[in-house]
Amino acid sequence: MASLPDEFTDLDRFVTAGWALPGSAERWKRRVTSSTEEVKDLYETLLPRMDAIMTYLDRYLLADLPETDRPLLYLALAFMDVAPTWEVFQAADLPEPAFEIERMHMVERPFPWEERAW
Amino acid sequence: MNQPANEQWIRNYPDLGTEQLSTDAATSPEFFERERDQVFRRSWLVVGRQQDVADSGDWFLKEVPSPKASVLVMRGDDGVIRAFYNTCKHRGSKLVHKNCGSGVKGFSCPLHGWVYDSSGNLAFVPDENEFYQLDKPALGLTKINCEVWEGFIFINLDPQPQLTLKEFLGEIHDSYNGYFDGLEEASHYTVTADINWKLLFDVSVEAYHVFSIHPIHPVSDETEKEVGKPPEIPEIKLPHIVLHELHRLVTVPGNPFRPQSPVEQLMIKYGVVSSFTFPEPGEKPADLPVGVNPGNVPAWSFDVLGMFPNNVVLTGRGIYVTIVMWPEAVDKTFFDIRIYMKPVNNMAERICREAIIAMTRDVMREDFDHVEPQQSALSPDAIQYIQLSDQELAVRHGYAALRKVMNEGFRGELVK
Ligand code: FES
Ligand SMILES: [Fe+2]
């Protein structure tokens, strides 16, 4: 299991819990299948750390991001995916009944280090 | 320019009438067939952006469900973007099976190996001498009319379109002036839903539904939560409506007094601001083309350009979204939804952008979640006519333009 750069080991438990996912559809699925407590924990823990994460990652161009630092990017993206809905609803997903995310087929935008799969 | 208080938009468009409209447009299979033949078979339809085929040899397929057509869009060696039926001229096999690709010289048919070059010409026939007479120059792939406007690739399945693309676009042709250039596709997804294609179009060109189903939408306001019911704030009214012959536009206002959430503050700090989330303060900036915020609305958030027949384009600052609706049946539609945003300069921008994508996606889900039950309840036994308010005038215009084209063709006297 990949772990985070030294100054972010306090966030390792989110990587262990499977939040650091490269695909937009996977991150989305991770979010909407989470409990409220899980999403609350992610949001509240990462919000005060986002400045540090962005400062850290901003040393790189996207295309040059070393493999070891990619989980940190994925985690930051998971936070941004969680945030808008959390801030409005204090929930992992829209109120029921929500349009199932499986019905929205993502055409993924691969990162530069991924296979050109589309 | 904008509508004075207590006046109705219909005064600008008296020909549209005020009567209730028949539901048959969304429920009748007979209407659907006429719509397919009179409208979709004859209109200019958006299938993608020129950056989807950025270089010679880049191509993608568009499977048009109704009228059924497998369309191959390809940039030739000469740099020209063309569209063809994806059908081999030997015995009619399907030439290409994947969705898209890049850098090809051409295609070879999987059945017997006829080869077409990147301009669609028949380039090679295996064992050619066995054929009796083969007019190879006439056996290139069958062309489909294809034109580009402001980077959008349009096709027209009519071999002899009634209107040129420029005529079809009418007043909007010269209104965007490069606005769509320079943004990149940030998100792309497709949805198949059990609705008539027009129902999603209709909710896209009115803001009447926003308070009921879009709590996440930035025009919402804190007071909504406090009093538990939508307040009568003027921001929810459409401040500008323009109805062209075929196309229509409404402006959606933002609420500049809405408090910013912690993540929105983060986005502002890192310079990732779209007018979807934060309305532009004050008057319209000079760098926006005439077609964007055409009413010079203060606290403008974005416009909804309803392009005839099936393309809704949300135009904001630093962001635009296209929702293209491809009818499959009277009550079934394939939606192609793409979000375009400013290319990111650094990692912080890439990260912050994700929040806008997530928010937009959830707003789309809220629409789908409510429009699908609408279709299921629209039985002719239950309801024969729909009622439309002045705030839903662009919906009315959509049906008027559609019926006009179905009845008179594109050259008829259209809605003024
Ligand atoms: S059908 Fe294409 S080569 Fe025969
Ligand atoms: Fe909506």
Side-chain angles (χ1 to χ4, degrees), chain B residues 246-356:
Chain B
L246 293 169
H247 317 288
R248 61 217 76 114
L249 180 147
V250 303
T251 292
V252 178
N255 178 358
F257 306 110
R258 189 178 60 96
Q260 288 151 1
S261 75
V263 164
E264 287 171 341
Q265 288 166 14
L266 205 59
M267 290 157 68
I268 291 176
K269 180 171 169 185
Y270 289 94
V272 179
V273 279
S274 87
S275 58
F276 279 29
T277 12
F278 308 108
E280 296 230 327
E283 297 285 289
K284 172 176 169 175
D287 64 319
L288 285 177
V290 59
V292 178
N293 189 6
N296 191 11
V297 170
W300 164 77
S301 183
F302 61 95
D303 312 296
V304 183
L305 170 65
M307 288 181 68
F308 188 90
N310 65 335
N311 185 13
V312 164
V313 186
L314 315 181
T315 57
R317 159 79 66 187
I319 187 170
Y320 66 92
V321 177
T322 62
I323 308 164
V324 188
M325 295 140 203
W326 296 98
E328 295 186 3
V330 66
D331 54 0
K332 189 172 183 189
T333 306
F334 177 84
F335 298 89
D336 187 303
I337 301 159
R338 308 187 194 194
I339 304 174
Y340 295 85
M341 295 176 70
K342 278 207 294 252
V344 294
N345 294 310
N346 53 50
M347 300 291 277
E349 289 179 12
R350 175 64 189 84
I351 291 165
C352 290
R353 173 201 264 194
E354 203 71 3
I356 296 175

Side-chain angles (χ1 to χ4, degrees), chain B residues 87-95 108-116 125-126 131:
Chain B
T87 303
C88 173
K89 295 298 266 294
H90 174 223
R91 274 162 55 192
S93 180
K94 186 163 177 169
L95 184 64
S108 125
C109 177
L111 197 49
H112 312 91
W114 281 29
V115 176
Y116 300 87
V125 173
F131 285 91

Side-chain angles (χ1 to χ4, degrees), chain A residues 24 27-28 31 51 54 57-58 60 80-81 83 85 87 89 93 97 99 103-107 109 118, chain B residues 100 185 188-190 192 215 261-263 269-270 346-348 351 354-355 361-362 365-366 368-369 372:
Chain A
S24 160
R27 286 193 296 272
W28 197 16
R31 157 161 81 93
D51 276 320
M54 294 208 264
L57 290 175
D58 259 343
Y60 305 106
M80 285 297 177
D81 191 67
T85 307
E87 288 181 338
F89 299 107
D93 197 10
F99 194 79
R103 299 185 59 191
M104 303 185 92
H105 299 279
M106 307 298 298
V107 182
R109 311 289 304 163
W118 48 282
Chain B
C100 58
E185 192 184 291
H188 180 186
Y189 40 94
T190 64
T192 301
S261 75
V263 164
K269 180 171 169 185
Y270 289 94
N346 53 50
M347 300 291 277
I351 291 165
E354 203 71 3
R361 210 159 50 188
D362 272 352
R365 286 171 75 205
E366 288 167 341
F368 280 117
D369 195 37
E372 222 170 34

Side-chain angles (χ1 to χ4, degrees), chain B residues 59-251:
Chain B
W59 60 275
F60 65 86
L61 272 195
K62 172 61 204 166
E63 300 288 354
V64 178
S66 176
K68 207 164 176 45
S70 179
V71 180
L72 171 61
V73 178
M74 176 159 53
R75 193 187 284 269
D77 269 346
D78 54 2
V80 176
I81 299 172
R82 299 181 179 83
F84 307 97
Y85 285 98
N86 181 24
T87 303
C88 173
K89 295 298 266 294
H90 174 223
R91 274 162 55 192
S93 180
K94 186 163 177 169
L95 184 64
V96 184
H97 292 257
K98 286 199 310 176
N99 290 332
C100 58
S102 59
V104 300
K105 288 275 153 229
F107 292 102
S108 125
C109 177
L111 197 49
H112 312 91
W114 281 29
V115 176
Y116 300 87
D117 69 17
S118 66
S119 301
N121 304 308
L122 178 57
F124 177 73
V125 173
D127 224 353
E128 187 178 343
N129 293 337
E130 292 287 343
F131 285 91
Y132 306 110
Q133 63 273 89
L134 211 51
D135 185 2
K136 273 170 76 186
L139 290 173
L141 297 174
T142 303
K143 277 195 180 157
I144 294 169
N145 286 291
C146 180
E147 301 277 345
V148 177
W149 168 77
E150 294 286 351
F152 288 105
I153 303 171
F154 289 77
I155 59 163
N156 192 322
L157 295 170
D158 187 346
Q160 258 127 22
Q162 295 172 23
L163 300 178
T164 64
L165 177 59
K166 186 167 195 272
E167 291 169 329
F168 176 82
L169 292 169
E171 298 88 337
I172 69 174
H173 182 271
D174 297 322
S175 300
Y176 286 89
N177 198 22
Y179 164 83
F180 298 103
D181 296 341
L183 301 198
E184 64 178 18
E185 192 184 291
S187 184
H188 180 186
Y189 40 94
T190 64
V191 177
T192 301
D194 293 331
I195 54 181
N196 183 273
W197 64 278
K198 297 183 292 294
L199 294 193
L200 191 78
F201 201 118
D202 295 349
V203 288
S204 305
V205 294
E206 50 96 346
Y208 191 30
H209 73 286
V210 169
F211 265 127
S212 302
I213 76 167
H214 294 313
I216 201 170
H217 191 283
V219 302
S220 306
D221 167 300
E222 280 301 294
T223 54
E224 183 186 354
K225 276 182 215 153
E226 283 163 27
V227 297
K229 74 176 182 54
E232 274 293 320
I233 60 166
E235 281 81 4
I236 201 62
K237 302 271 191 210
L238 295 173
H240 197 69
I241 298 179
V242 195
L243 308 178
H244 299 300
E245 286 202 352
L246 293 169
H247 317 288
R248 61 217 76 114
L249 180 147
V250 303
T251 292

